[in-house]
Amino acid sequence: MRTAPATDIRSPRSRRAARTALLGPALLGPAFAAAFVAALTAALVVGASVAPAAAEEADGPEVTWGVRTADTTWGDGRENYAYEVEAGETIDDALVIANHDVVPVELDVYAADAFTTSDGQLDVATRDVRPRELGAWAVPAADRVTVQPGEAVEVPFTITVPDNATPGDHAGGILTALATPEADEGLTVDRRLGIRIHLRVGGELAPGLAVDDLHVDYSGTLNPFGTGAATVSYTVRNAGNTRLAATQGVALTGPFGMLPVSASGVADVPELLPGETWPVEVRVEGVVPAFVLTAGVTLDPASPASSADAAPPTPKTVEETASTAAVPWTLLVLVLLLVAAIVVWARLARRRRAQRKVREDARVQEAVDRALREREAQAGATPAPAPAAESEPEVERAPETEPESEPARS
């Protein structure tokens, strides 16, 4: 353990500014750094609830120490720790801890695994969570240090990468916390400060995202000619071995791609570590119920900037679809009622025509019968004389003559 130069220590008046400045922007982008600073300055409230440091700063005691990277063979003036090594290699580096208070401060020093929170920020596990990856590979030379007022100490640490370490990105942090947690209004508050560690193990890099459990639900309206809303839910999973973020788009279409509707304002997927997942739920208004509704999700992955000489392969765009029924029930009932009314009207019209034909046939038959009866009545009143029988004319017959006999032949 070595004492750092006194010029590295900020005055007590700049404690709050130093706390943020010592962490600084992230090596791989300001947005990532802001998330990490917020995470590492969080305070874990042990007991009834968990509250971040930002909520405690206004009323609770200030953090009275700061941390920064040491100047070593790995670099000077670094904002974070970043390494690219092969499996089985060992890294020796150091952390500088400065005491800005007027009394000695006793701090625990430990390493922890990193993870992405539900807010999309990078955080590190608390000291009571057993590390399994980078947090287990990094071991500080001292697990507890006492820093005198106005002084700074340098705490070396060693990262031993296992021989069977998975190629790709691993994340963690080297942290400091009060050896005796503070009490604030009856709750135990664990204040932590630390610096992120980003480590890439050499080997084949295969960046990639996947969409899991894509599902779409449709809710209609009582207006037969109105539109409804669809809710698209899915899970984005980092299926590769490098850190990835992504922009995403959600669109809905009817049969054969008709009546397309695109969701607006879909938030980007935050940077995910390998194996991490990110739940997404998007509600889309103005969807026409066309009996079949298809939701399409598009992810455009992006690798964060890296100091590595060889950039990872460009991740592929991800596209997934899922369908559901979107039946316009009110309009369908209205159409069925209209069709039923048309069928009933047609049947009644056909029945009326048949009845008119029967009545017309009956009138015609009655007229014919009446005419026949009148004719028969007239015939019975004046009977016509019977016609005289005509005599057959006599036919004069010729007298019969005997046939002449043939002369006898000798």
Side-chain angles (χ1 to χ4, degrees), residues 12-410:
R13 293 184 178 180
S14 59
R15 294 170 187 168
R16 188 182 301 273
R19 179 178 52 211
T20 303
L22 286 169
L23 287 175
L27 181 65
L28 301 176
F32 196 84
F36 187 72
V37 169
L40 290 185
T41 57
L44 176 64
V45 180
V46 182
S49 62
V50 177
E56 296 288 333
E57 286 178 358
D59 300 325
E62 294 182 354
V63 177
T64 57
W65 75 97
V67 295
R68 67 173 179 84
T69 60
D71 296 335
T72 65
T73 56
W74 291 99
D76 299 338
R78 295 168 294 168
E79 304 295 348
N80 293 289
Y81 299 106
Y83 313 102
E84 185 172 0
V85 297
E86 298 297 326
E89 290 190 17
T90 299
I91 301 167
D92 292 318
D93 214 325
L95 173 73
V96 176
I97 307 173
N99 184 3
H100 305 307
D101 209 343
V102 295
V103 295
V105 60
E106 188 177 18
L107 300 170
D108 287 339
V109 184
Y110 63 97
D113 293 333
F115 64 94
T116 302
T117 68
S118 58
D119 296 330
Q121 299 178 347
L122 186 70
D123 198 356
V124 287
T126 56
R127 69 178 96 185
D128 59 336
V129 177
R130 181 180 178 182
R132 298 183 178 276
E133 278 208 346
L134 186 53
W137 305 345
V139 179
D143 55 8
R144 179 170 292 184
V145 295
T146 300
V147 187
Q148 298 301 319
E151 295 185 2
V153 296
E154 186 177 290
V155 181
F157 62 88
T158 301
I159 301 176
T160 304
V161 182
D163 294 333
N164 60 349
T166 304
D169 291 341
H170 303 265
I174 187 79
L175 297 106
T176 60
L178 291 175
T180 303
E182 299 173 342
D184 186 7
E185 296 182 357
L187 297 177
T188 301
V189 181
D190 187 10
R191 299 185 182 277
R192 306 180 297 166
L193 280 179
I195 300 178
R196 179 176 55 87
I197 303 173
H198 167 63
L199 185 145
R200 174 170 289 178
V201 178
E204 182 179 357
L205 301 180
L209 296 178
V211 175
D212 298 332
D213 302 325
L214 177 58
H215 187 72
V216 55
D217 291 318
Y218 178 79
S219 56
T221 175
L222 294 178
N223 184 353
F225 304 103
T227 57
T231 301
V232 183
S233 58
Y234 53 95
T235 300
V236 178
R237 175 172 52 88
N238 188 339
N241 59 4
T242 65
R243 294 177 298 121
L244 285 177
T247 58
Q248 55 183 340
V250 177
L252 296 163
T253 58
F256 310 106
M258 299 184 300
L259 306 172
V261 179
S262 296
S264 59
V266 182
D268 295 342
V269 177
E271 196 170 283
L272 299 178
L273 298 173
E276 288 188 328
T277 59
W278 182 256
V280 180
E281 184 174 293
V282 179
R283 182 174 176 85
V284 185
E285 302 287 346
V287 180
V288 177
F291 293 94
V292 177
L293 183 65
T294 301
V297 175
T298 303
L299 297 179
D300 189 9
S303 298
S306 175
S307 61
D309 296 334
T314 303
K316 297 180 179 179
T317 300
V318 180
E319 295 181 351
E320 292 291 341
T321 59
S323 299
T324 189
V327 181
W329 292 111
T330 305
L331 180 59
L332 185 61
V333 170
L334 185 63
V335 170
L336 291 177
L337 291 175
L338 181 60
V339 171
I342 292 174
V343 170
V344 171
W345 178 84
R347 288 186 176 182
L348 292 176
R350 187 166 60 249
R351 181 177 299 177
R352 286 193 296 268
R353 287 195 300 270
Q355 291 175 349
R356 284 198 300 269
K357 186 177 183 302
V358 170
R359 289 194 296 268
E360 186 66 23
D361 291 344
R363 285 196 298 269
V364 171
Q365 184 64 39
E366 183 180 358
V368 170
D369 293 342
R370 185 170 57 252
L372 290 176
R373 287 195 299 271
E374 290 177 353
R375 184 176 179 182
E376 290 177 356
Q378 291 176 358
T382 56
E390 296 182 357
S391 59
E392 296 181 359
E394 293 184 0
V395 179
E396 191 173 325
R397 297 182 179 180
E400 296 181 358
T401 59
E402 295 181 0
E404 295 180 0
S405 59
E406 294 183 359
R409 296 179 181 179
S410 59

